[in-house]
Amino acid sequence: AQSVTQPDIHITVSEGASLELRCNYSYGATPYLFWYVQSPGQGLQLLLKYFSGDTLVQGIKGFEAEFKRSQSSFNLRKPSVHWSDAAEYFCAVGLYNQGGKLIFGQGTELSVKP
Amino acid sequence: NASVTQTPKFRILKIGQSMTLQCAQDMNHNYMYWYRQDPGMGLKLIYYSVGAVITDKGEVPNVYNVSRSTTEDFPLRLELAAPSQTSVYFCASTSSGGALREQFFGPGTRLTVL
């Protein structure tokens, strides 16, 4: 069965520090991978996505993610975190043969210290 | 601006009551989805629809119903509410191609069943 695991429920980083959020997936075929961000009380916004090609993908707000097939991972990174990055981050895999439905990880809550 | 709208934003139901959560998108998207988000968890798919007619269940037990008589609207019906349906419900849409496209999310409906 398809699944997505985000091992870290909550991460706290200092403003200006680098960030890496982990995501591991289980999927039999080539995955379509996404990172979404959810600010408090808001819906989800797409940060970036991977379908094929270059395994390092760039997204909005200075985020990037690297797809590593050998590790079944799609970790999200940012070189320097801003206080406005505090939010919940979700990794998801899209199932192309099931109407494009998304299987989400349980999320990682990011807190930013001044 | 193109968007996904959801009404109401908040609702409290008593056990056994019923209600319809409204969702509309103005992007002429073919695919629409309903997810629920429980505290500390990722989103779980309830239903998705491809086109104005086809519907299919996701991975959540069948205590919900949907209809898709127009491309724009995708209402979710809850019958005989139970405390287990307390959650935040998100509607999303995407253009043809399902998993190859970004899903756009509405702001959510927070439902409490007492």
Side-chain angles (χ1 to χ4, degrees), chain A residues 32 34 36 38 41-44 46 49 51 90 94-96 98-106, chain B residues 31 33 35 37 40-43 45 48 50 58-59 90 97-103 105-107:
Chain A
Y32 299 92
F34 303 80
Y36 281 85
Q38 184 182 33
Q42 303 295 313
L44 279 70
L46 181 69
K49 59 184 183 286
F51 295 151
F90 292 97
L95 305 184
Y96 180 74
Q98 295 185 43
K101 75 177 190 181
L102 294 173
I103 303 294
F104 285 88
Q106 57 268 57
Chain B
Y31 291 72
Y33 309 83
Y35 297 88
Q37 183 182 27
M41 303 295 289
L43 280 70
L45 182 71
Y48 71 91
V50 182
E59 54 183 295
F90 289 99
L100 299 181
R101 300 281 186 267
E102 171 186 358
Q103 289 189 18
F105 284 81

Side-chain angles (χ1 to χ4, degrees), chain B residues 4-95:
Chain B
V4 179
T5 58
Q6 292 184 241
T7 55
K9 285 186 167 45
F10 304 94
R11 184 72 184 269
I12 298 175
L13 286 182
K14 294 182 180 178
I15 293 173
Q17 288 185 318
S18 301
M19 73 167 294
T20 299
L21 282 65
Q22 300 292 344
C23 173
Q25 52 89 10
D26 59 5
M27 296 171 279
N28 200 32
H29 282 168
N30 205 28
Y31 291 72
M32 294 189 74
Y33 309 83
W34 274 105
Y35 297 88
R36 61 177 283 174
Q37 183 182 27
D38 298 323
M41 303 295 289
L43 280 70
K44 298 285 189 186
L45 182 71
I46 301 172
Y47 266 100
Y48 71 91
S49 168
V50 182
V53 177
I54 301 170
T55 63
D56 202 322
K57 285 189 292 185
E59 54 183 295
V60 176
N62 187 14
V63 293
Y64 307 92
N65 282 297
V66 294
S67 60
R68 185 96 182 268
S69 56
T70 69
T71 302
E72 295 77 21
D73 301 300
F74 193 40
L76 177 71
R77 179 77 179 166
L78 283 69
E79 302 281 1
L80 299 174
S84 60
Q85 291 174 285
T86 294
S87 190
V88 182
Y89 291 83
F90 289 99
C91 179
S93 72
T94 190
S95 59

